[in-house]
Amino acid sequence: SQQGEEDPQALSIQEGENATMNCSYKTSINNLQWYRQNSGRGLVHLILIRSNEREKHSGRLRVTLDTSKKSSSLLITASRAADTASYFCAASGGAGSYQLTFGKGTKLSVIP
Amino acid sequence: DGGITQSPKYLFRKEGQNVTLSCEQNLNHDAMYWYRQDPGQGLRLIYYSQIVNDFQKGDIAEGYSVSREKKESFPLTVTSAQKNPTAFYLCASSNGLGQPQHFGDGTRLSIL
Protein backbone atom coordinates (compact mmCIF):
# COMPACT_ATOMS: atom_id res chain seq x y z
CA SER A 1 0.00 0.00 0.00
CA GLN A 2 1.14 3.56 -0.52
CA GLN A 3 0.86 4.72 3.04
CA GLY A 4 1.33 8.34 3.95
CA GLU A 5 3.62 8.94 6.91
CA GLU A 6 3.48 12.25 8.76
CA ASP A 7 6.32 13.96 10.52
CA PRO A 8 6.56 15.05 13.30
CA GLN A 9 4.24 12.82 15.32
CA ALA A 10 3.51 15.71 17.68
CA LEU A 11 4.05 19.45 17.49
CA SER A 12 3.49 22.12 20.11
CA ILE A 13 3.59 25.82 19.23
CA GLN A 14 2.46 29.19 20.56
CA GLU A 15 -0.58 30.89 19.13
CA GLY A 16 0.38 33.11 16.20
CA GLU A 17 3.30 30.93 15.12
CA ASN A 18 3.34 28.87 11.93
CA ALA A 19 3.02 25.08 12.00
CA THR A 20 4.57 22.83 9.37
CA MET A 21 3.76 19.15 8.98
CA ASN A 22 5.33 16.79 6.50
CA CYS A 23 4.06 13.69 4.75
CA SER A 24 5.87 11.02 2.75
CA TYR A 25 4.34 8.31 0.60
CA LYS A 26 5.68 5.29 -1.23
CA THR A 27 4.34 5.02 -4.77
CA SER A 28 2.80 7.17 -7.50
CA ILE A 29 -0.36 9.07 -6.66
CA ASN A 30 -3.27 10.78 -8.36
CA ASN A 31 -3.71 13.28 -5.57
CA LEU A 32 -2.80 13.86 -1.95
CA GLN A 33 -5.28 15.13 0.61
CA TRP A 34 -4.99 16.62 4.08
CA TYR A 35 -7.57 16.14 6.81
CA ARG A 36 -8.04 17.44 10.35
CA GLN A 37 -9.48 15.45 13.24
CA ASN A 38 -10.56 16.99 16.51
CA SER A 39 -10.46 14.67 19.49
CA GLY A 40 -13.22 12.06 19.39
CA ARG A 41 -14.67 13.37 16.12
CA GLY A 42 -14.62 12.43 12.47
CA LEU A 43 -12.13 13.75 9.94
CA VAL A 44 -12.68 16.98 8.05
CA HIS A 45 -11.25 17.44 4.57
CA LEU A 46 -8.94 20.48 4.32
CA ILE A 47 -7.32 20.52 0.91
CA LEU A 48 -6.53 18.33 -2.11
CA ILE A 49 -3.48 18.72 -4.33
CA ARG A 50 -3.23 16.87 -7.63
CA SER A 51 -0.09 15.08 -8.77
CA ASN A 52 0.55 17.72 -11.46
CA GLU A 53 0.33 20.61 -8.97
CA ARG A 54 3.22 21.86 -6.85
CA GLU A 55 1.54 24.24 -4.46
CA LYS A 56 -1.96 25.10 -3.35
CA HIS A 57 -3.42 27.64 -0.93
CA SER A 58 -6.65 27.76 1.02
CA GLY A 59 -7.02 30.54 3.57
CA ARG A 60 -4.25 30.07 6.15
CA LEU A 61 -3.28 26.70 4.66
CA ARG A 62 -0.49 26.15 2.17
CA VAL A 63 0.23 22.71 0.77
CA THR A 64 3.22 21.74 -1.35
CA LEU A 65 3.82 18.54 -3.26
CA ASP A 66 7.14 17.17 -4.50
CA THR A 67 6.45 14.03 -6.53
CA SER A 68 10.17 13.42 -7.15
CA LYS A 69 10.68 13.10 -3.39
CA LYS A 70 7.25 11.58 -2.79
CA SER A 71 6.55 14.13 -0.11
CA SER A 72 4.10 16.86 0.81
CA SER A 73 3.97 19.54 3.46
CA LEU A 74 1.11 21.38 5.14
CA LEU A 75 1.77 24.86 6.50
CA ILE A 76 -0.72 26.54 8.82
CA THR A 77 0.09 30.22 9.20
CA ALA A 78 -0.76 32.41 12.19
CA SER A 79 -2.02 29.44 14.19
CA ARG A 80 -4.94 29.71 16.61
CA ALA A 81 -5.91 27.63 19.63
CA ALA A 82 -8.79 26.27 17.52
CA ASP A 83 -6.23 24.68 15.17
CA THR A 84 -5.38 22.18 17.91
CA ALA A 85 -6.15 18.80 16.35
CA SER A 86 -4.55 15.83 14.61
CA TYR A 87 -3.68 16.28 10.96
CA PHE A 88 -3.56 13.40 8.47
CA CYS A 89 -2.34 13.13 4.94
CA ALA A 90 -4.02 10.63 2.61
CA ALA A 91 -2.60 9.45 -0.67
CA SER A 92 -4.91 8.50 -3.53
CA GLY A 93 -3.10 6.07 -5.75
CA GLY A 94 -2.65 5.59 -9.44
CA ALA A 95 -2.89 2.48 -11.63
CA GLY A 96 -6.64 2.20 -11.03
CA SER A 97 -6.37 2.20 -7.27
CA TYR A 98 -8.12 5.28 -6.00
CA GLN A 99 -8.47 4.29 -2.37
CA LEU A 100 -7.18 6.77 0.16
CA THR A 101 -4.33 5.50 2.33
CA PHE A 102 -3.94 7.48 5.55
CA GLY A 103 -0.85 8.12 7.63
CA LYS A 104 -0.74 8.05 11.43
CA GLY A 105 -1.11 11.79 11.77
CA THR A 106 0.58 14.75 13.43
CA LYS A 107 -0.91 15.90 16.71
CA LEU A 108 -0.76 19.70 16.80
CA SER A 109 -1.18 21.62 20.04
CA VAL A 110 -1.49 25.41 19.81
CA ILE A 111 -0.93 27.08 23.17
CA PRO A 112 -2.89 30.31 23.75
CA ASP B 1 -27.99 20.11 6.28
CA GLY B 2 -26.26 17.38 4.29
CA GLY B 3 -24.01 15.02 6.13
CA ILE B 4 -23.25 11.58 7.48
CA THR B 5 -24.87 10.18 10.57
CA GLN B 6 -23.34 7.32 12.49
CA SER B 7 -25.10 5.55 15.32
CA PRO B 8 -24.76 4.67 18.06
CA LYS B 9 -21.96 6.88 19.36
CA TYR B 10 -20.90 4.21 21.87
CA LEU B 11 -21.46 0.47 21.59
CA PHE B 12 -20.56 -2.46 23.78
CA ARG B 13 -20.19 -6.01 22.56
CA LYS B 14 -20.33 -9.21 24.53
CA GLU B 15 -18.16 -12.17 23.67
CA GLY B 16 -19.57 -14.16 20.74
CA GLN B 17 -21.98 -11.43 19.75
CA ASN B 18 -22.40 -9.72 16.39
CA VAL B 19 -23.08 -6.00 16.44
CA THR B 20 -24.12 -3.65 13.64
CA LEU B 21 -22.98 -0.06 13.23
CA SER B 22 -25.23 2.26 11.29
CA CYS B 23 -24.12 4.81 8.67
CA GLU B 24 -26.53 7.03 6.74
CA GLN B 25 -25.69 9.85 4.30
CA ASN B 26 -27.88 12.44 2.56
CA LEU B 27 -25.13 13.84 0.35
CA ASN B 28 -26.20 11.77 -2.67
CA HIS B 29 -22.72 10.26 -2.81
CA ASP B 30 -22.13 7.04 -4.73
CA ALA B 31 -19.10 5.85 -2.76
CA MET B 32 -19.09 4.93 0.92
CA TYR B 33 -16.36 3.61 3.20
CA TRP B 34 -15.73 2.07 6.61
CA TYR B 35 -12.49 2.70 8.48
CA ARG B 36 -11.10 1.50 11.77
CA GLN B 37 -8.94 3.80 13.92
CA ASP B 38 -6.90 2.52 16.84
CA PRO B 39 -5.37 4.90 19.44
CA GLY B 40 -2.54 6.98 17.99
CA GLN B 41 -2.98 5.34 14.61
CA GLY B 42 -4.17 6.33 11.20
CA LEU B 43 -7.26 5.00 9.49
CA ARG B 44 -7.36 1.52 8.04
CA LEU B 45 -9.91 0.66 5.36
CA ILE B 46 -12.31 -2.17 6.19
CA TYR B 47 -14.76 -2.13 3.26
CA TYR B 48 -15.84 0.28 0.57
CA SER B 49 -18.69 0.51 -1.89
CA GLN B 50 -18.70 2.39 -5.18
CA ILE B 51 -22.34 1.80 -5.96
CA VAL B 52 -25.50 0.20 -4.60
CA ASN B 53 -25.38 -3.61 -4.32
CA ASP B 54 -21.62 -3.67 -4.76
CA PHE B 55 -18.77 -3.53 -2.23
CA GLN B 56 -15.13 -4.53 -1.97
CA LYS B 57 -12.86 -5.61 0.84
CA GLY B 58 -10.32 -3.16 2.15
CA ASP B 59 -7.09 -3.91 3.97
CA ILE B 60 -8.62 -5.41 7.13
CA ALA B 61 -11.96 -6.98 6.14
CA GLU B 62 -11.63 -10.20 8.13
CA GLY B 63 -14.27 -10.44 10.86
CA TYR B 64 -16.45 -7.72 9.33
CA SER B 65 -19.34 -7.70 6.86
CA VAL B 66 -21.29 -4.96 5.06
CA SER B 67 -24.30 -4.46 2.82
CA ARG B 68 -25.28 -1.69 0.41
CA GLU B 69 -28.96 -2.13 -0.38
CA LYS B 70 -29.66 1.60 -0.55
CA LYS B 71 -27.52 4.48 -1.75
CA GLU B 72 -27.95 6.28 1.56
CA SER B 73 -27.01 3.42 3.86
CA PHE B 74 -23.89 1.32 4.44
CA PRO B 75 -24.14 -0.66 7.70
CA LEU B 76 -21.13 -2.50 9.12
CA THR B 77 -21.46 -5.71 11.13
CA VAL B 78 -18.65 -6.63 13.48
CA THR B 79 -18.90 -10.39 13.80
CA SER B 80 -17.75 -12.65 16.60
CA ALA B 81 -14.89 -13.69 14.30
CA GLN B 82 -13.28 -10.28 14.87
CA LYS B 83 -11.21 -11.05 17.96
CA ASN B 84 -10.01 -7.53 18.67
CA PRO B 85 -12.93 -5.26 17.82
CA THR B 86 -12.26 -2.48 20.33
CA ALA B 87 -11.66 0.62 18.21
CA PHE B 88 -13.15 3.83 16.84
CA TYR B 89 -15.10 3.16 13.63
CA LEU B 90 -15.53 5.88 11.03
CA CYS B 91 -17.86 5.93 8.05
CA ALA B 92 -17.26 8.21 5.09
CA SER B 93 -18.69 8.99 1.68
CA SER B 94 -17.50 10.70 -1.48
CA ASN B 95 -18.61 11.56 -5.01
CA GLY B 96 -16.23 8.94 -6.31
CA LEU B 97 -13.08 7.05 -5.50
CA GLY B 98 -10.12 9.34 -4.87
CA GLN B 99 -12.34 12.34 -4.18
CA PRO B 100 -12.52 14.20 -0.84
CA GLN B 101 -14.34 12.17 1.76
CA HIS B 102 -16.95 13.39 4.22
CA PHE B 103 -16.88 11.65 7.57
CA GLY B 104 -19.36 10.88 10.29
CA ASP B 105 -18.49 11.40 13.94
CA GLY B 106 -17.73 7.76 14.56
CA THR B 107 -18.83 4.89 16.77
CA ARG B 108 -16.63 3.77 19.64
CA LEU B 109 -16.91 0.01 20.14
CA SER B 110 -15.78 -1.68 23.33
CA ILE B 111 -15.85 -5.23 24.67
CA LEU B 112 -17.78 -6.06 27.83
Side-chain angles (χ1 to χ4, degrees):
Chain A
S1 69
Q2 43 206 311
Q3 186 177 25
E5 292 288 344
E6 291 89 347
D7 170 60
Q9 292 185 10
L11 180 61
S12 184
I13 60 174
Q14 295 291 131
E15 199 165 31
E17 294 180 341
N18 296 342
T20 299
M21 288 158 268
N22 303 297
C23 169
S24 60
Y25 56 92
K26 296 179 181 177
T27 61
S28 62
I29 60 170
N30 285 307
N31 66 63
L32 190 132
Q33 303 175 30
W34 286 90
Y35 290 80
R36 183 186 75 230
Q37 183 181 34
N38 289 88
S39 182
R41 303 295 298 274
L43 278 71
V44 174
H45 178 259
L46 296 175
I47 195 166
L48 179 154
I49 186 165
R50 291 183 172 80
S51 59
N52 60 354
E53 297 176 310
R54 292 296 167 257
E55 187 171 313
K56 201 162 184 179
H57 296 253
S58 177
R60 293 184 297 114
L61 305 180
R62 172 179 170 251
V63 169
T64 61
L65 179 65
D66 187 335
T67 53
S68 67
K69 294 181 179 178
K70 293 186 171 58
S71 67
S72 174
S73 67
L74 171 68
L75 168 68
I76 304 174
T77 60
S79 63
R80 306 166 181 169
D83 294 328
T84 295
S86 291
Y87 291 82
F88 295 88
C89 68
S92 176
S97 170
Y98 291 89
Q99 295 176 35
L100 288 186
T101 306
F102 288 83
K104 295 182 179 180
T106 292
K107 191 166 186 177
L108 174 66
S109 298
V110 181
I111 303 165
Chain B
D1 285 341
I4 297 184
T5 301
Q6 290 188 241
S7 63
K9 192 171 179 65
Y10 300 96
L11 187 58
F12 298 91
R13 195 191 88 170
K14 295 179 181 178
E15 292 289 339
Q17 185 181 44
N18 293 353
V19 291
T20 297
L21 285 62
S22 171
C23 178
E24 302 278 334
Q25 56 102 356
N26 60 3
L27 298 166
N28 200 33
H29 285 165
D30 286 318
M32 296 188 74
Y33 314 81
W34 274 105
Y35 294 94
R36 170 181 172 139
Q37 186 177 32
D38 292 284
Q41 301 295 310
L43 278 64
R44 291 185 291 169
L45 183 65
I46 304 172
Y47 270 97
Y48 67 101
S49 168
Q50 297 181 65
I51 199 167
V52 174
N53 292 323
D54 184 59
F55 49 82
Q56 285 80 40
K57 293 181 179 179
D59 298 322
I60 55 165
E62 186 174 351
Y64 301 96
S65 66
V66 294
S67 63
R68 186 86 187 275
E69 298 176 1
K70 298 186 300 181
K71 187 175 185 176
E72 301 80 17
S73 180
F74 191 41
L76 173 74
T77 297
V78 183
T79 74
S80 58
Q82 173 49 246
K83 298 306 179 188
N84 184 24
T86 298
F88 189 49
Y89 291 86
L90 287 160
C91 179
S93 71
S94 70
N95 273 324
L97 295 183
Q99 295 303 305
Q101 294 183 11
H102 297 253
F103 284 80
D105 270 341
T107 292
R108 193 167 298 278
L109 176 63
S110 302
I111 297 295
L112 281 178

